[in-house]
Amino acid sequence: QDNRISIWSAGDLGNAGFNGEYHGEPHLLCDIQHNGDVMDMQFLDQERIVVASSTGTVTIFRHHQNNQTLSANHRWEKAHYHVDQDTSCGGAACTGVVCSNPEIVTVGEDGRINLFRADQKDAVRTIDNADSSTLHAVTFLRTTEILTVNSIGQLKIWDLRQQRNEPSQIFSLAGDRVPLHCVDRHPNQQHIVATGGQDGMLSIWDIRQGTMPVSLLNAHEAEMWEVHFHPSDPDHLFTCSEDGSLWHWDTSTNVSEKPSFLHQGGRSTAYLSHSTINQSVVSAWLSNDPTKDRMEITNLIPNQTLSVNSLDVLGPCLVYGTDAEAIYVNRQLFA
């Protein structure tokens, strides 16, 4: 009922011992009250955090590092709403937010897409009936294009330069209309996109061809809540699920050369299949030779039972949050 946004210090890496173990304790630097559930949040820059609320409001909080306080810097009240913005109970959950400073894109349960600028009071652009179903997540494809995923298994591309309110492309999972919950695009090869949804499957899409995923990979036993390519090493991908697992997918090496004791739980090897035109620069994610390109999958938290709701990854660091009301930091991802 009573929610807060908190800034933590996970300490200084300089404190690591000889064997790379980390000794400092994480501590709470500051926090601030937040109305509604926190549905999503992202840093806009070093100091500002954009937060999506279940009330439909989008808030920018500023972290003042000199005196370690948080303050509400700007607020778009009921950026998402079901009936009209003015009714007291009309708010619709803002389900996703993505930032490319100064631009902020939000999506919501109302099927609406908003484009905000951090320094402007009103939305730069709103696509009111972007979707007839709930939009669950959004990410940038490039500076003027965004990707959204919805509750009927569709992936859509929107060109924000176009004034028309239709997507420029629609992709969909065949047949089942399984809700998609999360989306991320490959940091270097922008045509490669990963999504995950209610059935726990990992879908890899090549948006240059076809309207269906190039690969469907058996993954989790329950909803997949988050998918992330490693930002600087995108042969590595991370997914987390309601089933309490967090998987590290590694396409960087030929698995057959590695000893198989590395697999802890989960299906140890997955095969990808798809024919791709230019094999010399093709990513392993789109590979068509299953004997040559296998994938190593490791469950990073094998005995966890409670849902893993969120994750993020940077360098050797992985951070994730679970229903155990705990935040975990793994600093030795590639050790």
Side-chain angles (χ1 to χ4, degrees):
Q1 296 296 310
D2 173 32
N3 296 303
R4 305 190 81 73
I5 305 286
S6 307
I7 301 265
W8 293 80
S9 161
D12 180 15
L13 280 170
N15 292 356
F18 291 113
N19 51 1
E21 277 175 33
Y22 173 75
H23 298 304
E25 277 294 304
H27 62 277
L28 181 66
L29 296 176
C30 50
D31 63 0
I32 192 169
Q33 203 166 354
H34 179 269
N35 289 332
D37 293 343
V38 176
M39 304 297 285
D40 198 8
M41 59 180 172
Q42 214 180 44
F43 277 97
L44 178 67
D45 54 28
Q46 292 288 326
E47 303 192 317
R48 291 179 295 175
I49 305 120
V50 182
V51 183
S53 171
S54 59
T55 64
T57 294
V58 177
T59 311
I60 302 179
F61 291 97
R62 186 181 286 274
H63 175 213
H64 306 273
Q65 293 172 5
N66 51 357
N67 61 358
Q68 289 307 341
T69 56
L70 273 166
S71 64
N73 180 244
H74 189 82
R75 190 171 273 130
W76 290 283
E77 296 282 351
K78 286 197 192 147
H80 295 272
Y81 54 91
H82 282 305
V83 191
D84 63 85
Q85 244 166 331
D86 304 325
T87 38
S88 59
C89 57
C94 176
T95 50
V97 55
V98 65
C99 306
S100 176
N101 194 4
E103 266 147 8
I104 299 161
V105 176
T106 70
V107 296
E109 271 179 12
D110 53 357
R112 203 173 255 106
I113 299 173
N114 291 306
L115 172 63
F116 296 110
R117 244 179 227 115
D119 46 11
Q120 292 184 18
K121 187 167 153 288
D122 297 318
V124 178
R125 172 97 192 271
T126 294
I127 305 177
D128 271 329
N129 300 310
D131 214 299
S132 56
S133 58
T134 296
L135 289 167
H136 281 146
V138 58
T139 193
F140 276 98
L141 184 57
R142 37 184 78 82
T143 47
T144 56
E145 286 183 300
I146 57 166
L147 289 163
T148 59
V149 291
N150 69 12
S151 60
I152 56 169
Q154 292 173 321
L155 169 68
K156 297 183 182 180
I157 299 178
W158 305 83
D159 186 338
L160 297 172
R161 291 164 304 188
Q162 300 288 332
Q163 283 313 303
R164 58 198 187 93
N165 291 345
E166 276 88 46
S168 51
Q169 275 177 283
I170 300 178
F171 303 82
S172 57
L173 294 169
D176 296 344
R177 302 201 151 210
V178 175
L180 290 172
H181 291 306
C182 52
V183 57
D184 197 25
R185 76 150 168 79
H186 193 289
N188 314 335
Q189 295 178 286
Q190 295 177 336
H191 55 278
I192 301 174
V193 174
T195 63
Q198 190 162 338
D199 58 1
M201 297 279 276
L202 173 63
S203 309
I204 305 290
W205 313 70
D206 181 346
I207 59 172
R208 299 168 306 182
Q209 46 189 299
T211 57
M212 286 163 61
V214 294
S215 315
L216 282 170
L217 302 169
N218 270 330
H220 302 279
E221 306 291 330
E223 292 92 343
M224 185 190 294
W225 292 131
E226 196 115 54
V227 57
H228 276 298
F229 284 100
H230 192 288
S232 54
D233 197 351
D235 286 343
H236 298 267
L237 178 96
F238 299 86
T239 59
C240 64
S241 167
E242 180 71 27
D243 68 9
S245 59
L246 192 160
W247 284 18
H248 174 187
W249 306 70
D250 178 2
T251 62
S252 62
T253 45
N254 186 341
V255 177
S256 56
E257 295 165 9
K258 287 190 178 178
S260 61
F261 59 77
L262 293 168
H263 307 306
Q264 319 164 14
R267 305 157 186 72
S268 58
T269 316
Y271 295 95
L272 287 173
S273 62
H274 190 66
S275 53
T276 338
I277 305 127
N278 186 349
Q279 281 298 317
S280 59
V281 295
V282 70
S283 161
W285 293 109
L286 303 180
S287 174
N288 71 342
D289 181 357
T291 53
K292 183 166 64 70
D293 292 285
R294 294 187 183 177
M295 203 182 301
E296 185 177 358
I297 301 167
T298 312
N299 182 5
L300 297 179
I301 35 178
N303 304 318
Q304 159 81 5
T305 52
L306 296 169
S307 175
V308 185
N309 301 318
S310 189
L311 74 91
D312 206 354
V313 59
L314 188 67
C317 254
L318 169 77
V319 58
Y320 58 95
T322 78
D323 269 359
E325 298 190 15
I327 301 163
Y328 299 86
V329 181
N330 175 347
R331 294 178 173 278
Q332 298 174 285
L333 208 45
F334 301 115

